[in-house]
Amino acid sequence: EVQLVESGGGLVQPGGSLRLSCVGSGFTFSRFEMTWVRQAPGKGLECISFISSGGASKYYADSVKGRFTVSRDNAKNSLYLQLNGLRVEDTAIYYCAREAALGAMDYWGQGILVTVSS
Amino acid sequence: DIVMTQSPDSLAVSLGERATINCKSSQSVLYNSNNKNYLAWYQQKPGQPPKLLIYWASTRQSGVPDRFIGSGSGTDFTLTISSLQAEDVALYYCLQYYGTSPRTFGQGTKVEIK
């Protein structure tokens, strides 16, 4: 069974940092591209970062470029998102999702809440 | 970036009736080389992550009931729930995943029971 489990969220002050992790199981993690999607409270879905299967290609939405960094460790079946310079508007549930060969995200984690507040 | 616009923002349909959600992209998401539309539909229920329903605009994901029907090509797409069930109450999002462009979602459509 494919599973994705996020961790590392919590409450942080504006300007602070967090590191989110996502551990995959039930599939060959190293073969799949991965995406981070976030959802602000009561709002829609936003793709904020993408990383290729080997980690060489990365993408960031303009809203997080220069502040967030995506990485992965295929030996540990793990995906990471380093969040620096956090802003109140970064408050959201952050999901990691697997990109299927068909290109759309087919499996999602349950999400982890990041709250940025003073 | 490709902008995805859904309509309506919400709709209320009687049980057993048809629900139709539209999604329009600001540019074509049809790849001529393989004749595939890079468009997916997701369902999201409260407190849950999105669930993939449809990919390639019209292919149902494994396990998705056949009352969910995706159609359209190029820039205009539709998700039809042919006979609304109580468990279909949810938010529905379209997503374009065309080439190397940033993936973008529509703003979402809320489906309720009338």
Side-chain angles (χ1 to χ4, degrees), chain A residues 39 59 95 99 102 105 109, chain B residues 42 44 49 56 93 97 102-103:
Chain A
Q39 187 169 36
Y59 153 81
Y95 297 100
E99 296 239 350
L102 54 89
M105 293 82 82
Chain B
Y42 291 84
Q44 187 180 33
W56 299 140
Y93 295 92
Y97 50 102
R103 282 143 174 73

Side-chain angles (χ1 to χ4, degrees), chain A residues 25-73:
Chain A
S25 60
F27 65 103
T28 305
F29 185 82
S30 61
R31 292 184 180 177
F32 290 84
E33 299 169 335
M34 299 293 292
T35 291
W36 286 98
V37 178
R38 72 180 179 182
Q39 187 169 36
K43 301 297 184 182
L45 300 164
E46 179 187 19
C47 290
I48 58 169
S49 186
F50 160 93
I51 186 167
S52 60
S53 57
S57 295
K58 301 175 183 180
Y59 153 81
Y60 301 97
D62 288 343
S63 57
V64 306
K65 198 174 295 181
R67 300 186 299 123
F68 292 6
T69 303
V70 64
S71 62
R72 64 190 296 163
D73 184 339

